[in-house]
Every structure is written in structure tokens, then in C-alpha cells.
Amino acid sequence: MKIVVAENSGFCYGVSRTMEMAERAAAEVSGKCFTLGHIIHNKDVVRALEKRGVAPAERVEDISPGSTVIIRSHGVGRETYEKLEARGCAVIDATCPNVSRIHKLAVQASEEGRTVLIIGTPGHPEIEGIRGWCARSQVVRNAEELESLLSQTPEIRSEPLSAVFQTTSTEKNYQSCVKIIKKECTNVKIFDTMCVATSRRQEEARKLSTECSCMLVVGDKSSANTRRLAEICEERCPRVCFIENAAGLENLSFDEHDTIGIIAGASTPAWTIKEVNKKMCEEFKNQELNVENQAEQEEVISAGAAEPESVVEETNQAAEGGESFAELLEKSIKTLRTGDKVTGTVAAITATEISVDLGTKHSGYIPVDELTNEPGAKVEDLVHVGDQIEAYVMRVNDVEGTAELSKKRLDMVKTWADIETFCEEKTTVEGVITDENKGGVVASVKGVRVFIPASQTGLPRGAETSALLKKTVKLRITEVNRARHRVVGSIRAVQFEERRARAEQIWNEIEVGKKYNGVVKSLTSYGAFVDIGGIDGMIHVSELSWTRISNPAEVLSVGQEVEVYVISFDKEKKKISLGYRREEDNPWTRFLNTYEVGSVAKVKIVKLMDFGAFAEVLPGVDGLIHISQIADHRIGKPAEVLTVGEEVDAKIVNIDTEKRKISLSIRALLEPQAEPAAEEPAEVEAPAEPEAPVEAE
Ligand code: F3S
């Protein structure tokens, strides 16, 4: 026989927080102290507190002016706060953060002119508190009541609505209501305001009740969430005993059951659960039942030990990797300290903070600006309700039962460890340049400021570092001093590595004629140096243009992107000669593609000599008009007929492709029938041959 205690039993974090605040008040408040309504749905707890001077008051009017008043986790409406203030009461607000979130949503909806549709139990204190923050509200219990509301008041369908759910609503109820709302209502915002702690507990009740032949549901019958647990168990388990405390076990027999599950509501104190366990152990002992050691079960209590107290101590052993019941109890009273690293579950997300269920008496919260250092990150992208989250405890407020947490700082510790590893392992990382100063620039790497000296920015000497601002760069961490929060990096180191790798690749693949895209790095009188992505090659001045140029700057400028091709290379000397001018731009080729012997061209006289005139046929291609071919009569000098710059029609009478010389004749056009004098030498000038390339360094 075994007893399995649900892990999610007893106080939820909201109730733990409330109880902690109430206990503080009992110990510290000197004047009268009240709780507005029963602090939790548990008469034993209420009685115990009353004995310590914290009495329940049903109405504000029952509270003496000037008293201290504790608002329980259910929360209250705005009017109650106003009334308490009017009576001069000091308020200790123990409203569960999950409920406070609904209040804020209600206020926001009202400001937007929306009716708040509340799905929950009418008259329940939580629901009444929510209504107290709404300008207009409607409350329905479930899908059935929702349908009936919509059919009785059809105008609601088109009204602006904000739908919220009681924190203890079931998933089933939520889904069926959402389905109707989405189908019927045209202007609605739906908020899932159910409590994660409740869903988890209900889920465990579902699971446990299918595995056990008897379930003990422990808690006050006035507690809505405990009643729901009983309902869930009754749907699955043949026998469910709803007891308030150990006394409820009187006259119950469990002879015929081999596995008994225990689950308790959110307002059931740990001591009540412990008592129930103890009593069950005694019961088993008296009946001399053999209880197996259920070490593999999550929460198992064997009943065969000598003393009940020690039975609980000894037999509440954890399942493999799990926690014992005793540990869970211990955890519920655990005190947090600043600097502790904690893990919790995201319970709610508001515009200003993330509520975290730490499973302790403290309610954890992470202010939004303590969530991350990532610039522009959105909270909804980073965390979701139900997520496990690790954080540092920044501040503990035992009076209010809160623990301020920071995920950002925990991340930062991890990040520093990463940064040190990056430095040791020479890892290339990415960062965004966020700032510039006299000495260089600052990059943000995973939220850590990394200083990059100007000489390590990879920019040319004297260049403006502002050009890097807001850019994502690759860099290497070169120095880390955690104590001084100083990190130094180098973009240049990465560029150097990248260049070396690219250079190696180029040398492996290089061949004559291969084309590369490069950037002009510098110009000299004899050529241009071009970075082809890791190596510099040189274009000799004669390879820059088909026309004669006196300086490379006539064709290129520093920084210009160019396409070049390999003319020759020497792997040993690491030299590459590059070409820039293209064959398709070669004027002689263009001439041959355009003209043939017999073609007539409009030519421009460029030079007059005694023996004839040179004329430009195309830029870069000149031909000679011999003196005998200038006119249809004998002339003493070409200048008698022609002037430099003059454009005339001339016939191409001969092309010497080998010597690249062209003979032209004006006379042939004047006397078409006349044959050009073949014996007269035709002198032409072809484009200059390129000089041998100068090799790159
Ligand atoms: Fe508890 Fe708050 Fe949820 S009181 S059940 S944690 S809404």
C-alpha cells in the first residue's frame, strides 16, 4: 500500500506571500489589526491569526478607524481602498500579483470604454474585487451562462469587450468560453488571466486521480480552488474524500485501497497536510499494513515504521531526481537572501514586471528593465507565462513578502564567463558599435562594453571612426579585466585573419586570365596597387588604358572598386601583375570590326608633316594621308590644303594588320576612277604597344 502526495499541494505562492505578510503584521503591528474577510479559506489559520491579534472583519465599517488592515490575496475594488483611506487605516496590500494584473486590465479596459466580461463565480471575493475596478462589467460562470447572456442581450456582441478569467478557472472552461467569444463578439480583447499555479495543481489532480483508487482532497470547503480539485478528482477516481483536516479522517476506512493520493488546495497550510499524512501513517500502522518502499514514486510515505513522526521523516523519500515531501515543506518556509540564484516559473507578465513563482513564501518579481540588456528586445519575445526562469535575488522584502529579482544580472555573470572564454580561445564574436571616443570606439558584445582602440578598428589611419557607429562588426576579445570591468577588442585582428585565409585561397586558385574584383589601394607614377581580397596586385600604367596616359590618376582613384584580370604571377615572390583595360575596348580591334579597305571614314586631321597628314579614324587609331593623296592636283605641303582639327572624308586604301598601319586617301574620293599610287609609301600610326607590366609587391 502506498500514499502519494501531490507535489503541488498546499499554499500557492500568492497565499504564502499573504500569510507571511499577515504573520509579520501579527508580530509587529502594535495597534489593532484586521484582515478584510478571512485571510484565506481555512478556519484553523484564521483562528490562529485571531489569537495573535489579527482579526477578520467582514466590512470596512466593522474596522476601527486608524487600524492596520491586510487586504487578502483575492484583492478588493477601488472603493474599498478609498473607504479605508477615509478611515485613516494603514493598508498592507497582500493582493496576489496575478489578481493585481487583472485589476490593471480592468482599469485599462474601462479607460478604453470597454465592458469587462468576467468569467468566474459571481459573488466570489476575487470577482467582486475585479468588478470594483471596472466602469462596466458582466460576470458569467461558464460557456452556458455566456451563451444565455449573449442571447438575452444581443447588443453586447458588438460592444467593445475585454474578457478576463478568474485565476482559478479551468482550462476547459476557458477554451469553451473563448470559442464562443471569438465566434459571437466582434470587438473583443481576450486575456488569459488564469493562474499557472492553479493550472499546474489541477493538472496534477487529473493525473493523480487516474492513478489512485482513492483521493484525499484536503482543504476548506469554502475554498473555490479546493472544491475544483475535488470536482476534477471525482471525474476520474472511484472514491474521493474531501476533508478539511486530519480530523476528517475519523471513521473513514481505506482497507480496500492499495494507492491513495493526497492533494490539497492553495489555502491549505503545510501543517494540515502533514497532520493528514501522520494520521494516515498511524492508521496504517494500527492496521499492520505492509507498505512497500516506493522509492521510485515522487511522494511516497510507507506506513511500516515504528513512530509516526519518524515515519514521515524517513519515508517521504524522493523519487529519483525529485524532492521529498519534507523537502517541499522545508522549501515552503525557505528564506531568500540577496545574491541567491533562484529558479522559478513565470506566473504573470505585466507592462512593468514579470511575476515569478519561486515555490517559497516570497513572491518573486523581475522589473522589466532587469530582464535583459539586449537593446530593443521585447518582453513578450523573451518570456512567456509558464516558462522556467533563472534569476538573481536583488532585494528581499520580508514585510511585504516580495523578492526583487534580476535576470539581466545573472545573464551578465554568465556573459562575463563567456567573454573570458572568447578571449582565451581567440573566438571571433559579433558586436554592435555603440559609441566612439578619443581613443577609439566601443562595441556592445552580449551587453558588455568592449573598447576597441582606433588602431584596432581596421580603418585606415586618420579615417573617421564615426563611420562604424551602429554597425555590426566581427571582433576578437584581446584583454579582459573582470574586476575593473574592462574588455578590449580588435576588429583588425579578425580582418587580418580573414585576409590571410583569403590570400591563401587566392594563391591556391590563381591562374593567368582569372578575373577578380578589387579595390584600388594606392596610386604611383608607374601604376596602381589593387587589393583583390587578401593580396595586393599591381596594374602597370600601360595596362590601364588603350590610349596613352601620363598618370594612373587619369583612369583610377583610391578606393575605387575595379574588375581586374591576372596577366602574370609569381607565387614565390608573391607578386601579381594585373590588367585593367579590356580587349573589347582595344581601339585597333574596334577599328577592324568597323572598317575594311574601301570604307570611307570621317577622319580628323591631328598632325601635319611634309610628307602627309595624320588623321584620327577612331580615338586611339590614326591613319596617314600621303601628300599625293590629299588633293587632285600637286601640292607643295599638306598645310596648303588641310588644317589640324579639320574633319574630312577619307577612303581607307590599305590596312597593314601586322604593323597596325592604315593608309588613307582624300584624292580617291575626288577622282573615284583614279588608282591610288601604289608605289607611294603609306605611313600609318597604330596605338602604342603596352610596355612590360611592373610586378606587384
Ligand atoms: Fe494563488 Fe495567486 Fe494563483 S493566490 S492560486 S497564486 S492567483
Side-chain angles (χ1 to χ4, degrees):
M1 169 152 324
K2 65 182 177 187
I3 296 174
V4 184
V5 182
E7 189 175 315
N8 293 291
S9 278
F11 288 175
C12 60
Y13 85 96
V15 171
S16 295
R17 176 172 173 267
T18 303
M19 286 308 302
E20 175 68 17
M21 290 163 94
E23 275 167 25
R24 283 264 168 198
E28 291 169 6
V29 172
S30 50
K32 287 191 175 172
C33 187
F34 295 89
T35 61
L36 199 48
H38 285 182
I39 185 89
I40 59 171
H41 295 296
N42 189 289
K43 297 182 199 85
D44 294 338
V45 171
V46 172
R47 269 197 296 271
L49 263 184
E50 199 166 358
K51 277 189 197 157
R52 296 177 62 199
V54 182
E58 281 313 308
R59 303 172 311 147
V60 174
E61 292 70 25
D62 300 334
I63 294 169
S64 332
S67 306
T68 298
V69 182
I70 303 167
I71 307 289
R72 58 188 174 177
S73 58
H74 291 319
V76 293
R78 192 201 305 263
E79 199 188 29
T80 306
Y81 286 96
E82 289 167 358
K83 280 186 184 171
L84 289 170
E85 194 183 353
R87 292 176 87 79
C89 294
V91 171
I92 297 174
D93 193 349
T95 307
C96 175
N98 291 347
V99 179
S100 297
R101 179 187 168 225
I102 307 179
H103 292 173
K104 283 177 196 156
L105 290 170
V107 171
Q108 194 185 334
S110 302
E111 284 169 0
E112 291 171 7
R114 294 177 167 273
T115 298
V116 182
L117 177 61
I118 307 168
I119 290 91
T121 309
H124 186 281
E126 180 186 322
I127 301 302
E128 290 310 301
I130 296 168
R131 290 186 66 199
W133 294 94
C134 303
R136 277 192 319 280
S137 64
Q138 293 282 355
V139 183
V140 291
R141 226 177 278 264
N142 48 35
E144 221 171 45
E145 286 191 11
L146 178 60
E147 272 181 332
S148 137
L149 172 75
L150 293 173
S151 65
Q152 280 167 24
T153 44
E155 64 276 12
I156 288 184
R157 294 163 200 255
S158 54
E159 258 181 45
L161 295 174
S162 281
V164 297
F165 291 76
Q166 188 169 352
T167 52
T168 49
S169 289
T170 61
E171 182 66 26
K172 195 170 151 195
N173 193 30
Y174 172 80
Q175 292 299 351
S176 49
C177 289
V178 165
K179 201 169 161 191
I180 296 169
I181 294 167
K182 282 189 175 168
K183 192 171 156 210
E184 303 289 340
C185 304
T186 53
N187 182 0
V188 63
K189 289 182 180 175
I190 302 171
F191 297 96
D192 175 358
T193 51
M194 293 187 302
C195 167
V196 181
T198 304
S199 332
R200 227 185 284 137
R201 192 185 302 257
Q202 290 176 353
E203 188 49 46
E204 197 176 4
R206 254 174 234 118
K207 186 166 177 281
L208 198 54
S209 57
T210 50
E211 292 166 358
C212 300
S213 58
C214 175
M215 284 295 296
L216 292 179
V217 179
V218 187
D220 201 290
K221 294 201 167 122
S222 62
S223 157
N225 80 76
T226 314
R227 281 202 310 270
R228 286 218 169 94
L229 291 179
E231 284 163 20
I232 289 168
C233 292
E234 276 160 6
E235 285 168 13
R236 292 162 178 83
C237 184
R239 187 176 176 210
V240 176
C241 305
F242 192 164
I243 55 170
E244 290 196 356
N245 48 36
L249 292 171
E250 295 294 329
N251 305 321
L252 293 180
S253 166
F254 301 98
D255 288 357
E256 72 275 25
H257 300 293
D258 56 357
T259 309
I260 298 172
I262 298 178
I263 193 159
S267 50
T268 308
W271 77 72
T272 303
I273 306 169
K274 195 171 178 179
E275 261 179 21
V276 169
N277 273 315
K278 190 173 167 186
K279 189 107 177 172
M280 288 298 282
C281 294
E282 285 169 352
E283 177 76 9
F284 292 144
K285 188 187 168 201
N286 292 340
Q287 292 176 13
E288 296 182 340
L289 295 172
N290 288 325
V291 180
E292 298 170 39
N293 179 5
Q294 302 291 335
E296 71 283 0
Q297 296 294 326
E298 282 192 357
E299 299 298 335
V300 180
I301 298 175
S302 67
E307 290 298 325
E309 195 62 50
S310 62
V311 167
V312 174
E313 295 290 328
E314 289 169 14
T315 57
N316 279 346
Q317 293 305 308
E320 203 176 328
E323 293 167 297
S324 72
F325 180 60
E327 282 167 341
L328 290 170
L329 288 177
E330 170 64 23
K331 202 171 159 188
S332 74
I333 54 168
K334 185 185 165 197
T335 301
L336 294 175
R337 284 188 307 269
T338 300
D340 282 356
K341 187 178 134 190
V342 289
T343 304
T345 307
V346 175
I349 300 170
T350 69
T352 54
E353 65 186 39
I354 293 98
S355 299
V356 180
D357 178 1
L358 297 172
T360 69
K361 64 186 178 183
H362 289 93
S363 168
Y365 70 96
I366 305 174
V368 165
D369 56 6
E370 286 295 330
L371 186 64
T372 180
N373 257 332
E374 280 178 50
K378 290 184 185 161
V379 175
E380 58 270 31
D381 294 339
L382 299 175
V383 284
H384 305 96
V385 171
D387 285 355
Q388 288 281 302
I389 195 165
E390 281 188 324
Y392 258 143
V393 177
M394 306 273 298
R395 213 163 286 112
V396 180
N397 187 330
D398 284 327
V399 178
E400 292 187 358
T402 56
E404 186 181 334
L405 311 173
S406 172
K407 180 171 184 302
K408 182 169 90 175
R409 301 198 189 191
L410 183 64
D411 289 346
M412 194 49 82
V413 173
K414 289 183 185 167
T415 302
W416 273 96
D418 288 346
I419 295 275
E420 283 171 341
T421 309
F422 295 154
C423 184
E424 276 164 29
E425 297 180 356
K426 296 188 168 35
T427 311
T428 297
V429 294
E430 278 198 349
V432 176
I433 304 294
T434 55
D435 210 354
E436 63 169 332
N437 54 37
K438 256 200 266 171
V441 293
V442 175
S444 171
V445 176
K446 294 180 131 206
V448 173
R449 282 169 63 86
V450 180
F451 173 64
I452 301 168
S455 62
Q456 296 301 316
T457 56
L459 294 173
R461 195 185 297 264
E464 287 291 328
T465 50
S466 58
L468 288 174
L469 283 176
K470 296 190 181 158
K471 288 203 172 145
T472 300
V473 295
K474 286 183 185 169
L475 65 145
R476 178 90 32 91
I477 306 294
T478 53
E479 187 189 326
V480 181
N481 186 330
R482 203 152 160 177
R484 292 179 57 204
H485 274 240
R486 179 180 155 84
V487 185
V488 181
S490 168
I491 298 172
R492 195 166 160 235
V494 177
Q495 290 177 345
F496 179 76
E497 283 296 317
E498 287 179 347
R499 270 181 76 78
R500 204 161 62 175
R502 283 201 303 268
E504 207 175 305
Q505 195 183 356
I506 288 173
W507 283 119
N508 288 338
E509 297 170 352
I510 196 163
E511 55 189 48
V512 171
K514 190 161 182 153
K515 290 181 179 169
Y516 291 96
N517 289 317
V519 177
V520 178
K521 280 186 70 180
S522 61
L523 298 174
T524 66
S525 58
Y526 52 85
F529 287 94
V530 176
D531 176 2
I532 56 172
I535 312 176
D536 290 351
M538 203 200 77
I539 314 170
H540 189 264
V541 65
S542 60
E543 288 297 332
L544 283 171
S545 171
W546 290 104
T547 55
R548 223 178 269 281
I549 56 167
S550 55
N551 194 307
E554 291 174 35
V555 179
L556 298 177
S557 55
V558 172
Q560 185 178 339
E561 291 183 6
V562 289
E563 189 186 73
V564 291
Y565 54 90
V566 178
I567 292 174
S568 65
F569 61 90
D570 184 333
K571 279 190 183 180
E572 277 183 15
K573 292 184 183 165
K574 302 279 182 215
K575 289 186 175 179
I576 303 175
S577 294
L578 300 170
Y580 176 67
R581 60 184 192 178
R582 295 158 195 283
E583 190 49 39
E584 57 266 33
D585 297 332
N586 184 341
W588 182 250
T589 309
R590 277 173 47 226
F591 169 76
L592 291 179
N593 290 338
T594 313
Y595 300 104
E596 57 188 8
V597 172
S599 302
V600 175
K602 186 161 287 291
V603 301
K604 188 169 152 190
I605 307 300
V606 291
K607 202 170 184 183
L608 297 174
M609 308 295 284
D610 287 346
F611 56 85
F614 286 102
E616 184 188 80
V617 185
L618 285 174
V621 181
D622 294 348
L624 175 71
I625 315 168
H626 190 265
I627 189 165
S628 63
Q629 296 300 314
I630 289 176
D632 54 359
H633 56 276
R634 187 171 289 277
I635 57 172
K637 284 198 283 187
E640 291 171 15
V641 179
L642 298 172
T643 52
V644 171
E646 183 183 355
E647 283 192 345
V648 293
D649 285 338
K651 188 172 180 179
I652 296 166
V653 292
N654 190 39
I655 300 171
D656 182 342
T657 46
E658 209 171 294
K659 293 183 183 166
R660 296 194 174 184
K661 291 185 175 178
I662 304 162
S663 299
L664 303 167
S665 171
I666 299 170
R667 184 176 153 197
L669 297 176
L670 301 173
E671 295 173 6
Q673 70 282 17
E675 285 297 316
E679 71 281 5
E680 290 164 354
E683 254 196 67
V684 292
E685 188 176 282
E689 285 298 314
E691 293 169 39
V694 176
E695 291 178 325
E697 287 176 1

